[in-house]
Amino acid sequence: MNGLLRGAISGLAATLPMTIAMEVMHRRMGLTKRYALPPRQITANVARSLGIRHRLGEDEERVATMVSHFGYGGSMGVPYALAEESIHLPPIVKGAGYGLAVWAGSYLGLLPRLGLLSPATRHPPQRTALMIAAHLVWGSALAIAVERLKRRRGQARGEASPASPVSQRSTRKIQPQSAASICS
């Protein structure tokens, strides 16, 4: 699987735990009545700028929000998958750092510049913290997904995975162990 596809799939998959984390934190912080989550606001602002917001019902806006949110997550996974091998840090550290970079680039740069959302510096601190935490979840999940897909690719080619203690040239057989012996 090439890096573009691996990144898109991983970014898409990482958006699910991010979205769940956002929803849970949003409810726990009591922000649900005062502020919609940014993906909803961004989608509404895009629809307004296209002159179609008035034609969207509640369900249609919710679907458009999910499609755009997951689409953005998938597209932002691509640069990570293409560049991550050149960064020599543990995957979770790379992913979390990348998640923070995506948050900063989006919420302090791209979205305000496009007029789709005010800069994060103008948002309530609780909401900014929520979105930073959500992007840490996304970046970490992205890194895990990319690593798993790389490992699967290696296994499909008959290569040892990078985390595997057995090198490709090793002829030693690993004996299966029972669950009881592994857990004791």
Side-chain angles (χ1 to χ4, degrees), residues 2-41:
N2 70 33
L4 291 172
L5 188 56
R6 185 171 50 249
I9 291 169
S10 297
L12 189 68
T15 305
L16 181 61
M18 174 198 201
T19 304
I20 292 168
M22 282 172 41
E23 290 288 342
V24 168
M25 289 185 286
H26 194 237
R27 285 188 189 119
R28 287 204 171 159
M29 290 180 169
L31 299 174
T32 54
K33 291 182 180 160
R34 289 189 289 170
Y35 306 103
L37 285 167
R40 183 73 177 252
Q41 288 181 307

Side-chain angles (χ1 to χ4, degrees), residues 44-142:
N45 289 339
V46 167
R48 188 178 298 112
S49 71
L50 295 173
I52 61 169
R53 176 127 196 245
H54 65 281
R55 291 191 285 191
L56 295 178
E58 179 67 24
D59 290 341
E60 293 161 324
E61 190 172 309
R62 189 172 321 156
V63 168
T65 298
M66 286 293 120
V67 168
S68 64
H69 182 57
F70 277 81
Y72 192 70
S75 67
M76 293 310 296
V78 172
Y80 175 83
L82 295 175
E84 62 87 23
E85 286 186 1
S86 66
I87 302 166
H88 303 290
L89 292 169
I92 296 295
V93 174
K94 289 189 287 192
Y98 184 71
L100 284 175
V102 168
W103 172 82
S106 299
Y107 287 85
L108 298 173
L110 180 65
L111 296 169
R113 197 160 285 187
L114 293 175
L116 298 176
L117 195 67
S118 62
T121 54
R122 294 190 192 150
H123 298 186
Q126 277 184 307
R127 189 167 106 173
T128 299
L130 178 155
M131 294 310 297
I132 290 171
H135 282 80
L136 288 170
V137 169
W138 178 81
S140 299
L142 172 68

